[in-house]
Amino acid sequence: MMKRPELVCPAGTPAALRTAVDAGADAVYCGMQNATNARNFPGLNFTPEELQASVAYAHDAGTKVLLAVNTFPPAGKFELWRGAVDLGARLGVDAFIVADIGVAEYAARVHPGCRLHLSVQAAASSPEAIRYYCREFGVRRVVLPRILTVPEIRALAAEIPCEIETFIFGNHGLMIEGRCSLTNYVCGLSTNMDGVCSPAADVHYDRAADGSVATRLGAFTIDRFGPAEQAGYPTICKGRYLAPARDEAYYAFEEPVSLNLSALLPALIEAGVDAFKIEGRQRSRAYVRSVVSAFRQAIDQTLAGETPALADLIALTEGQKETEGAFKTKKWR
Amino acid sequence: MHQVALPTAVLIIIKFERTPMAAILPETGIRRLLPPAPLFLLQPVLRRIVQHIAAGNPSLFNRLGPHRKARFVIDAQGLPFLLLLRPDPDNLLFRAYARDAEPEHDARIAGRFLDLLGLVDGGEDGDALFFSRDLDVTGNTEAVVCLRNALDDVDGSIAARVADLFGPVGRIALIAIRQAGSRAKADRRAA
């Protein structure tokens, strides 16, 4: 019999959290309204009071709450991260999602009863790296970077003493997760320490008379979409650039495309994945409702031995394109 | 008067949206030759709507932070006028302007009327509309992101609350609008 994987869903607001719970999430992940999490976007995330009420709502429904404290504290600013961990423990969150070893050490030492999950931002993909976090901080689950094939995940599962969580849907921004500094160069803010990639205050859209739109980040134009062309997120890694390698502007880093592993669910469960993560704390309640419902149904059907009837989620994907990325083949680009 | 004015205006809009004229007029500029919409009738209705939403959702303004004083022009394509919103709880503003008299603003949000209604209603995803180029944003992007997140944190349907404000006629009008939205979406997918 197949092991029942946990469906881990995003929540950028209390309303999104309740939507995820009601749509069948086993766990919901969220963050505070500050730099302690990697979706520190304007108007997003939770106040302490909202988190308290949200934990109560989720727990009443039997849903876990995972608090993302997954950025890297700069020197002299650790107090903010310590405060987030202490607050989460006091409010009864079920796990902390951490990336920094200082934050991991603090949470493990001061709140040993609370589970630690290793964030994708830690970019731990080898058995040696993952075993280090398990041994030193008691990490119970690793969120894998989106760079491994299903056979590689199966092999990894046999070599590590903790649970495995993989992304199954959403933004597909790989780089070396937790180490991307592209935003820093342009905006002066750190994705990894300030928790914001392409801060909205630096994003500008310039619409031309012909209907085309140029996307600028700070002083740099990073893409230009024709009048009927699909758009992507305004991040440097998804921009199109002129470079000597090609005659025309092209996606030099990554293409605007979303991950969708719905067809690989049975293979991933069989490979030993314990939890499936949906990306998108910055997305709306409508997104959360659609994607969580679709994957709740697909997982339940897979576990029942049925072929999952997969909802069409293409309308919610970046650039209206989806990929199975490295999970299917290393040659996915 | 308000109990009749909004649903009537809405039904006219739906009727207009479903005619070939709706697609032609923005291209030809003929709309400018039409008599101006009776905006003075609309202003008290809009004021009542925004005051009702603000009174029922005070926490909405916390998410807006410094952007509660921002001025948003909302260009709901298909409507014969523009809307100006300043979501400042101490100085709320929600007014209609003629299309050829666009007011000063910090950010501009443009999209189909039914898509924008879906956003407010929690039924559409702003990123998805942006990806498909059905939503245009210019000006202060951070203010728009804040507004989007603030509205998305409102439980239930803002549109339904507005419809309730106008009694059974309002609710019937909203049903008609939603049905028109579903049909339009299905038509676009089929195309």
Side-chain angles (χ1 to χ4, degrees), chain B residues 90-102:
Chain B
D90 301 323
N91 196 9
L92 276 171
L93 177 69
F94 194 37
R95 283 184 64 84
Y97 285 79
R99 285 191 166 270
D100 58 2
E102 185 161 327

Side-chain angles (χ1 to χ4, degrees), chain B residues 170-190:
Chain B
R171 287 190 280 275
I172 290 168
L174 182 59
I175 290 168
I177 290 171
R178 284 176 171 161
Q179 286 174 344
S182 300
R183 276 196 302 273
K185 203 179 210 180
D187 289 349
R188 285 206 298 276
R189 280 188 177 165

Side-chain angles (χ1 to χ4, degrees), chain A residues 32 43 68 73 90 130 143 201 205 242:
Chain A
M32 307 303 298
R90 183 162 58 79
I130 296 166
V143 184
Y205 298 107
L242 288 165

Side-chain angles (χ1 to χ4, degrees), chain A residues 230-243:
Chain A
Q230 304 296 327
Y233 278 122
T235 58
I236 298 173
C237 63
K238 303 282 180 82
R240 270 182 289 196
Y241 306 97
L242 288 165

Side-chain angles (χ1 to χ4, degrees), chain B residues 4 25 34-35 38 66 84 89 93 135 187 190:
Chain B
V4 176
L25 289 184
L34 294 175
L84 178 69
L93 177 69
L135 184 68
D187 289 349

